[in-house]
């Protein structure tokens, strides 16, 4: 395929899961022995146990990269998704939600066990989310499910670190990176969580050093895990020379990015009340990539990310609810 022919602005490969979100008090987090504020991989039996212990909950399609695509799509860009669901009800829900958001999603469903993945999210009164993830069918995304022509037709390939843990999708993502780079496309990668870096940091550092990642998203905790440096500026300066575009979010302290020798810093966008931080990083990436794909200034890309993150933490659920195009126009 010609390097100048693009069908999609962003194509993502990630977990295809349904989020189950419930409000709870701090006592329940302690009682269940959960990793407060973090993400823990669990098996299906544990997922059933936690689901039974949850207060009344909302079910919405999620998954980090899928959430990011949902945000990008609402901002008017063309998106496609590759991820594995099972041939079950949750799989149908996920597929419907993706397509209803304007995202092309045609990966065939997987028959048999395990079920479609789900994330059980406990949200405490301060808006902090504690996530417990059963990857389900998503951890069995095979390389054979990849449409290489589809991958080569996207200007940006966006990969989710969470999905690096299981071997089969990790191999699929490596193959996808090769296809994208051969087609002259950009490869974006989100580290996702410190525990993923703890397990696969050597892989990530090697990809960075080899120049395989064009755009890297981390938060300050992940940056420290990746570099071994607690000082943010020291860690940032260690990674930046090896990544054309580095984006580091710092929660209430805003975000920093470097791109092709330029550096920009923005404050966090104001929010009246933090309701649920689920999806904050995902939507920051959505806002940033929507600007980047359109060739906007680095500071503007960061501002878009901050606005998108502020919107999603103002309500329950990991995907935008406001008219994001209008919100961007009003806020920029």
């Amino acid at each position: 395929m010609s390097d100048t022919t693009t069908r999609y602005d962003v194509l993502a490969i990630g977990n295809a899961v349904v989020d189950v979100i419930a409000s709870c008090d701090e006592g329940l987090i302690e009682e269940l022995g959960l990793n407060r504020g973090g993400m823990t991989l669990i098996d299906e039996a544990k997922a059933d146990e936690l689901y039974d212990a949850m207060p009344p909950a909302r079910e919405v399609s999620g998954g980090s990269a899928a959430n990011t695509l949902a945000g990008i799509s609402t901002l008017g860009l063309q998106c496609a998704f590759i991820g594995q669901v099972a041939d079950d009800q949750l799989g149908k829900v996920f597929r419907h939600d993706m397509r209803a958001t304007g995202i092309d999603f045609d990966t065939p469903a997987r028959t048999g066990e395990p079920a479609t993945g789900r994330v059980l999210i406990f949200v405490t009164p301060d808006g902090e989310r504690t996530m417990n993830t059963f990857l389900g069918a998503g951890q069995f995304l095979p390389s054979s499910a990849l449409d290489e022509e589809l991958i080569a037709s996207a200007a940006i390939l966006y990969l989710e670190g969470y999905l690096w843990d299981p071997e089969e999708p990790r191999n699929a993502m490596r193959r996808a990176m090769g296809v994208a780079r051969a087609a002259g496309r950009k490869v974006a990668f989100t580290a996702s969580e410190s525990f993923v870096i703890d397990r696969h940091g050597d892989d990530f550092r090697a990809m960075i050093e080899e120049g395989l990642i064009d755009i890297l998203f981390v938060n300050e905790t992940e940056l420290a895990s990746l570099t071994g440096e607690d000082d943010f500026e020291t860690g940032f300066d260690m990674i930046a020379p090896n990544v054309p575009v580095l984006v580091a979010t710092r929660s209430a302290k805003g975000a920093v990015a470097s791109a092709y020798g330029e550096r920009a810093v923005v404050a966090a966008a104001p929010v009246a009340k933090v309701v649920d931080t689920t999806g904050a990083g995902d939507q920051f990436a959505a806002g940033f990539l929507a600007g980047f794909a359109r060739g906007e200034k680095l500071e503007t890309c960061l501002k878009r990310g901050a606005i998108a993150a502020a919107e999603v933490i103002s309500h329950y659920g990991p995907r935008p609810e406001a008219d994001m195009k209008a919100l961007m126009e009003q806020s920029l």
Side-chain angles (χ1 to χ4, degrees):
M1 177 172 290
S2 168
D3 285 356
T4 60
T5 303
T6 56
R7 179 180 174 189
Y8 297 102
D9 297 295
V10 183
L11 178 145
I13 301 177
N15 277 310
V17 299
V18 175
D19 290 344
V20 183
I21 306 171
S23 299
C24 72
D25 57 29
E26 297 284 353
L28 186 60
I29 300 292
E30 185 174 345
E31 177 186 337
L32 296 174
L34 304 181
N35 176 26
R36 187 187 189 283
M39 198 287 280
T40 304
L41 290 175
I42 58 175
D43 59 22
E44 191 163 8
K46 186 66 174 180
D48 290 340
E49 176 189 331
L50 292 181
Y51 182 77
D52 289 342
M54 291 184 95
R58 296 176 56 195
E59 294 183 356
V60 293
S61 291
S64 177
N67 291 337
T68 295
L69 281 192
I72 295 171
S73 182
T74 62
L75 290 168
L77 281 73
Q78 297 299 307
C79 301
F81 180 72
I82 296 174
Q84 189 68 68
V85 297
D87 186 14
D88 57 17
Q89 183 58 33
L90 284 184
K92 292 180 175 66
V93 167
F94 182 89
R95 190 179 302 278
H96 169 270
D97 288 351
M98 294 295 281
R99 290 177 171 174
T101 312
I103 300 164
D104 286 352
F105 174 40
D106 297 311
T107 309
R110 188 175 188 271
T111 57
E113 299 293 334
T116 295
R118 54 192 183 272
V119 183
L120 307 177
I121 303 173
F122 295 75
V123 183
T124 44
D126 61 354
E128 186 64 81
R129 84 283 186 273
T130 297
M131 301 189 296
N132 303 272
T133 302
F134 166 57
L135 292 174
Q139 63 189 311
F140 297 103
L141 175 71
S143 292
S144 60
L146 300 182
D147 181 335
E148 293 193 359
E149 185 175 355
L150 183 73
I151 294 167
S153 73
I156 299 171
L157 171 67
Y158 182 70
L159 303 175
E160 175 184 330
Y162 283 132
L163 200 56
W164 201 261
D165 205 56
E167 181 179 2
E168 201 163 4
R170 180 167 68 247
N171 292 336
M173 286 193 287
R174 286 190 183 279
R175 179 181 168 193
M177 291 173 71
V179 172
R181 299 199 68 81
R185 308 310 190 191
K186 301 292 187 187
V187 175
F189 191 90
T190 176
S192 293
E193 185 81 27
S194 290
F195 92 88
V196 180
I197 298 171
D198 292 341
R199 291 167 65 92
H200 302 287
D202 288 345
D203 269 359
F204 298 165
R205 285 182 282 269
M207 290 191 295
I208 290 169
E209 290 170 7
E210 292 167 21
L212 300 180
I213 298 174
D214 300 294
I215 307 167
L216 177 64
F217 291 93
V218 292
N219 63 33
E220 60 182 339
T221 303
E222 294 156 5
L223 181 65
S225 296
L226 193 61
T227 63
E229 288 287 343
D230 291 331
D231 180 73
F232 176 82
E233 294 295 340
T234 301
F236 191 94
D237 290 343
M238 286 176 62
I239 298 295
N242 296 317
V243 181
V245 181
L246 174 61
V247 183
T249 57
R250 309 188 71 189
S251 296
K253 291 180 283 187
V256 182
S258 64
Y260 311 107
E262 178 187 359
R263 180 182 167 107
V265 180
V266 299
V271 57
K273 181 182 178 182
V274 176
V275 175
D276 173 17
T277 57
T278 307
D282 302 335
Q283 294 313 317
F284 191 100
F288 183 93
L289 287 174
F292 184 86
R294 290 172 168 146
E296 294 180 344
K297 293 180 179 179
L298 184 61
E299 184 178 1
T300 303
C301 295
L302 282 176
K303 287 180 178 178
R304 286 188 180 276
I307 293 164
E311 189 280 336
V312 82
I313 66 175
S314 70
H315 59 76
Y316 284 107
R319 299 186 179 185
E321 293 184 355
D323 181 337
M324 294 304 296
K325 287 183 182 178
L327 183 60
M328 292 291 175
E329 290 175 2
Q330 294 165 8
S331 305
L332 286 173

